[in-house]
């Protein structure tokens, strides 16, 4: 009997080769976001518009866009592309910056 046959048939477990880390155990590379970038990101994830973020943080819409562009670039540079708001939500949750119930 194989290991996979003991697992759920539709969701077989993935096992690492001897001497290698389990694929899901590998640490995600996190970009270095500044405190202000984190603040802008989290505010944007909780708001409906960039205009709300700008008003709430006393920034121009251009500054909000610049922060978000830099955040996306930093995620891309570590191999974790985040081209959409949904992708940024996923990255923020994965990195422990926010939990789903906070959205």
């Amino acid at each position: 009997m194989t290991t996979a046959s003991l697992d759920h048939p539709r969701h077989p477990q993935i096992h690492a080769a001897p001497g290698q880390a389990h694929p899901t155990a590998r640490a995600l590379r996190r970009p270095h976001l500044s405190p202000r970038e984190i603040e802008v990101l989290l505010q944007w994830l909780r708001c409906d518009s960039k205009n709300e973020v700008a008003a709430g943080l006393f920034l121009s819409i251009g500054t909000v866009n610049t922060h978000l562009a830099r955040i996306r670039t930093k995620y891309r540079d570590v191999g974790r592309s985040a081209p959409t708001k949904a992708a940024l939500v996923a990255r923020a949750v994965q990195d422990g910056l926010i939990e789903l119930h906070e959205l």
Side-chain angles (χ1 to χ4, degrees):
M1 190 180 268
T2 66
T3 304
S5 67
L6 297 175
D7 300 328
H8 190 282
R10 295 184 70 199
H11 304 285
Q13 291 185 359
I14 299 170
H15 299 281
Q20 293 183 349
H22 190 280
T24 59
R26 285 181 256 170
L28 296 174
R29 290 186 59 204
R30 294 180 62 179
H32 176 72
L33 302 179
S34 73
R36 189 60 161 179
E37 288 170 336
I38 292 170
E39 182 179 26
V40 169
L41 174 62
L42 296 180
Q43 188 72 14
W44 188 54
L45 297 180
R46 293 180 181 117
C47 290
D48 290 329
S49 75
K50 294 175 186 174
N51 288 328
E52 286 182 53
V53 175
L57 297 178
F58 305 102
L59 299 171
S60 72
I61 189 71
T63 301
V64 171
N65 284 328
T66 297
H67 280 301
L68 293 172
R70 288 181 181 160
I71 291 165
R72 291 181 198 285
T73 297
K74 288 180 179 185
Y75 271 107
R76 187 193 67 229
D77 289 349
V78 297
R80 297 172 65 206
S81 179
T84 65
K85 188 172 186 177
L88 283 173
V89 168
R91 302 296 172 261
V93 170
Q94 291 166 347
D95 292 347
L97 299 174
I98 196 168
E99 294 185 13
L100 290 177
H101 69 85
E102 296 177 273
L103 298 173

